Amino acid sequence: MKFPAWKKRPTPEKPKKSKLREWLDAGVFAIIAATVIRTFIFEAYCIPSGSMERTLLVNDYLFVSKISYGPRIPMTPLAIPLVHNKMPFTKYTPSYSTAVEWKYRRLPGFTHIKKNDIVVFNLPEGDTVALEVEESRNYYDLVRRLGHDEVWKRYHILARPVDKRENIIKRCLATAGDTLQIINGIVYVNRQQALIAPHSERPYWVQTDGEELNASRMDDLGLIDPAVPGDTAGKYQYNLTRGDVATLQTFRAVKNIQADIDKNRNEDASVFPHDTAYYHWNQDNFGPLVIPQQGQTVAVNRSTIELYRRIITVYEGNQLEERDGKYYINNQPADTYTFKMNYYWMMGDVRHNSLDSRYWGFVPEDHIVGKAWITWLSYGKEGPRWSRFFRAIK
């Protein structure tokens, strides 16, 4: 009996992908890869304002390291990939949905936030925004100036989740548990003078022999802002670094240089905690103030409530009420409160041109995005600033 020889059946050829399908597959893979990198490793960021001059300049493009402090798990996962909080080509349309919101969690990082780190974080007062105004004039400042009803009448108001609030970059001056104080413009942390960044600017009044200093010589120093004339002949205000001051003191035409500091103790209602009955603080004379630390317990009373109101209600999600002069947290009488998170104090290097913790208070740990790592691109009015390409940020 003969058996037929077994023959291997030919493998059917897979249909070849069309060019369109290949491009779509490549595009989807690229978006997924970029989203993973942006969420867990590093993210590109552009400097929009001069609050960190000349440490960082407007139109410096940075890489922000997410792995330094540990990447934050997305708290608003339903969002358009690679977009922060607005749909492209729209003014106000959110790029995310709050139908699903996750609790704050962070993966382990290589280090913790240290004093003098330059940090990117979500704007603490960015939980509510008036859409028609600039971020620098935040919702709470408008309410203090115009009143709640007037603000809601004039503007469209939107609430934003933590990870969809505007990104801000500042220097960390104090960490949880530190005591901070500003005396005549000088920051002290735990009674020690804080670092003054070598490239940071502050305003100085320069008195000359009667004429404005030579513009080309000032350009050689790297000055960015034009001189502001004072109230007498030959008096001009410049934003200078300490190195600039030392150089100008060698100019024959310069007779005197004096830092522009608000030395009086008159309170400024725009300064945190916006309670001038108990806190007579301004931008150059502030504190002392202890930065809240996880597990720390503080008194809750009329003199402290404005320091901790946002922590209790907004950042840590409790219900706070006042009845007959007493405070209730989650419907329970409370004369103390224990913090659930660590907090930080962030300030710009240009102290007189920076909206920072002096104006909106503490930065919660769940708002931290990452550590400023390197400047990978930079350009100004005259084109690329080649010396700033791929420069480490300090």
Side-chain angles (χ1 to χ4, degrees), residues 265 267 272-281 287-288 301-307 322 327:
R265 293 294 297 182
E267 67 272 6
F272 178 80
H274 318 291
D275 182 1
T276 56
Y278 290 92
Y279 302 96
H280 307 288
W281 297 347
N301 53 49
R302 178 61 190 90
S303 66
T304 64
I305 191 62
E306 296 309 324
L307 288 174
E322 183 178 358
Y327 293 97

Side-chain angles (χ1 to χ4, degrees), residues 177-342:
D178 289 335
T179 299
L180 177 137
Q181 186 171 15
I182 306 174
I183 302 174
N184 292 335
I186 303 299
V187 179
Y188 295 85
V189 179
N190 302 328
R191 299 185 178 181
Q192 301 293 318
Q193 183 175 325
L195 170 76
I196 299 176
H199 298 294
S200 66
E201 298 177 335
R202 68 180 310 158
Y204 287 85
W205 286 107
V206 179
Q207 181 65 56
T208 72
D209 56 8
E211 296 185 5
E212 186 175 355
L213 298 175
N214 184 281
S216 63
R217 295 190 69 182
M218 302 306 283
D219 288 342
D220 291 341
L221 290 177
L223 268 62
I224 298 170
D225 303 308
V228 177
D231 54 2
T232 60
K235 187 176 182 180
Y236 298 92
Q237 187 185 75
Y238 293 93
N239 286 328
L240 306 172
T241 67
R242 288 181 296 170
D244 296 336
V245 172
T247 301
L248 287 179
Q249 287 172 338
T250 66
F251 288 14
R252 286 186 179 181
V254 173
K255 303 304 179 184
N256 183 49
I257 302 177
Q258 187 71 40
D260 182 16
I261 298 172
D262 185 1
K263 293 185 178 180
N264 65 61
R265 293 294 297 182
N266 293 337
E267 67 272 6
D268 181 351
S270 68
V271 165
F272 178 80
H274 318 291
D275 182 1
T276 56
Y278 290 92
Y279 302 96
H280 307 288
W281 297 347
N282 58 46
Q283 65 174 342
D284 285 332
N285 287 283
F286 189 102
L289 179 67
V290 178
I291 313 304
Q293 186 174 27
Q294 184 179 19
Q296 175 190 3
T297 299
V298 294
V300 175
N301 53 49
R302 178 61 190 90
S303 66
T304 64
I305 191 62
E306 296 309 324
L307 288 174
Y308 308 125
R309 183 184 296 275
R310 284 185 63 79
I311 289 179
I312 295 170
T313 58
V314 179
Y315 304 147
E316 301 194 355
N318 300 285
Q319 181 184 5
L320 174 67
E321 295 179 281
E322 183 178 358
R323 307 175 199 160
D324 302 323
K326 296 182 179 180
Y327 293 97
Y328 293 78
I329 298 176
N330 300 326
N331 293 317
Q332 298 297 317
D335 56 11
T336 63
Y337 182 77
T338 301
F339 301 117
K340 301 174 185 175
M341 289 191 290
N342 288 319

